[in-house]
């Protein structure tokens, strides 16, 4: 089955610790995205990548970092510099990403709680 | 940048019809998406409109008016499982492949 996987589903970390969220897709999609969702808020773009070894900041990139060493993988690191990291994190991918008309498909999400 | 506006909450009765509206800025428009998101889960794609008019997919239909910057999602024969948030999304700007999402409309279907 093709799809997007994110692990773990729930993640707990102590304040001040960096944490990496995984995102893997086997859809052969070129573009991948990371969003953050807070209660009562829309999805906000953190980072996105169109091709391997290239990525761009979204609207709320501060305190986050990413890498795109393989087409299938786009891990997100939440650093200690992120002031309010507790949120629901969603990874998405799309087939081309050159135009805005490419439908984005989402992984199941990781709920991060910083204690 | 793009500005998406949709109602925060709606309530409808099982078996009824409900219309969820969405307005957006028209400059640089290149398509509008609707997603469904159940609580605690990921959004799932429902529809994509780029031309004016109504597109029907079973119980769900989506309408677009580009000149008015307006779209709606129409849900017929409501079922309890349709209780979810419905997200409207549009390109963040002219030629942009980033999407701006609305805050979502939480639909509660009651017996």
């Amino acid at each position: 089955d093709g799809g997007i996987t994110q692990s773990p589903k729930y993640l707990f970390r102590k304040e001040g610790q960096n944490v990496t969220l995984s995102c893997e897709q086997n859809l052969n999609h070129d573009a991948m995205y990371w969003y953050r969702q807070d209660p009562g808020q829309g999805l906000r773009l953190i980072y996105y990548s169109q091709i391997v070894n290239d990525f761009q900041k979204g609207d709320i990139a501060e305190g986050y970092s990413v890498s795109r060493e393989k087409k299938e993988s786009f891990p997100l690191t939440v650093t200690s510099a992120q002031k309010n990291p507790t949120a629901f994190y969603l990874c998405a991918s799309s087939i081309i990403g050159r135009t805005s008309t490419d439908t984005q498909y989402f992984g199941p999400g990781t709920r991060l709680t910083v204690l | 940048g793009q500005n998406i506006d949709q109602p925060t909450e709606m309530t409808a009765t099982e078996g009824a019809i409900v219309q969820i509206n969405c307005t957006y800025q028209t400059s640089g428009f290149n398509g509008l998406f609707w997603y469904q998101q159940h609580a605690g889960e990921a959004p799932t794609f429902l529809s994509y409109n780029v031309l004016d008019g109504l597109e029907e997919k079973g119980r769900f239909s989506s309408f677009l008016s580009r000149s008015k910057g307006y779209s709606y999602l129409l849900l017929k024969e409501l079922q309890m499982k349709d209780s979810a948030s419905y997200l409207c999304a549009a390109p963040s700007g002219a030629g942009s492949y980033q999407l701006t999402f609305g805050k979502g409309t939480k639909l509660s279907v009651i017996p």
Side-chain angles (χ1 to χ4, degrees):
Chain A
D1 277 341
I4 305 173
T5 57
Q6 292 184 243
S7 61
K9 189 170 179 65
Y10 298 96
L11 189 57
F12 297 88
R13 280 295 181 267
K14 292 182 179 179
E15 192 172 348
Q17 289 182 333
N18 290 359
V19 60
T20 297
L21 283 59
S22 76
C23 177
E24 304 278 333
Q25 55 96 2
N26 60 5
L27 301 168
N28 199 32
H29 284 177
D30 298 295
M32 297 186 74
Y33 311 80
W34 273 106
Y35 292 90
R36 168 183 173 139
Q37 188 175 36
D38 295 283
Q41 299 292 319
L43 277 66
R44 292 183 291 168
L45 184 64
I46 304 173
Y47 268 98
Y48 62 98
S49 168
Q50 287 183 278
I51 57 173
V52 173
N53 292 323
D54 187 50
F55 46 82
Q56 286 79 40
K57 293 181 179 179
D59 300 322
I60 55 166
E62 185 175 351
Y64 299 97
S65 65
V66 293
S67 63
R68 186 88 186 275
E69 297 178 0
K70 298 186 299 182
K71 187 175 183 178
E72 303 79 17
S73 179
F74 191 40
L76 173 75
T77 297
V78 185
T79 74
S80 56
Q82 168 50 233
K83 295 179 182 177
N84 187 18
T86 294
F88 188 43
Y89 289 87
L90 288 158
C91 178
S93 69
S94 64
I95 192 164
I96 296 174
R98 287 199 298 272
T99 74
S100 57
T101 57
D102 300 311
T103 300
Q104 295 183 20
Y105 297 92
F106 287 83
T110 292
R111 189 167 299 279
L112 173 65
T113 302
V114 175
L115 305 172
Chain B
Q2 182 59 264
N3 187 33
I4 306 283
D5 194 27
Q6 52 181 133
T8 303
E9 293 185 45
M10 298 182 72
T11 301
T13 305
E14 191 176 13
I17 299 173
V18 70
Q19 178 175 313
I20 302 174
N21 297 326
C22 171
T23 58
Y24 62 90
Q25 293 178 344
T26 58
S27 62
F29 177 76
N30 194 22
L32 188 131
F33 295 86
W34 283 97
Y35 285 83
Q36 179 191 58
Q37 186 179 25
H38 285 100
E41 298 182 9
T44 55
F45 170 72
L46 289 177
S47 67
Y48 168 64
N49 293 69
V50 67
L51 298 176
D52 290 347
L54 185 70
E55 291 196 9
E56 300 186 59
K57 280 186 184 180
R59 293 189 300 114
F60 290 12
S61 302
S62 55
F63 172 83
L64 178 68
S65 170
R66 289 175 295 172
S67 61
K68 296 182 180 178
Y70 167 68
S71 173
Y72 67 72
L73 183 69
L74 193 70
L75 289 72
K76 303 176 185 176
E77 302 170 15
L78 279 173
Q79 302 175 9
M80 299 300 289
K81 68 178 182 180
D82 297 330
S83 293
S85 287
Y86 292 86
L87 312 179
C88 175
S92 300
S96 173
Y97 37 79
Q98 297 179 48
L99 290 180
T100 296
F101 283 82
K103 293 184 178 181
T105 299
K106 184 178 180 182
L107 174 65
S108 298
V109 180
I110 58 176

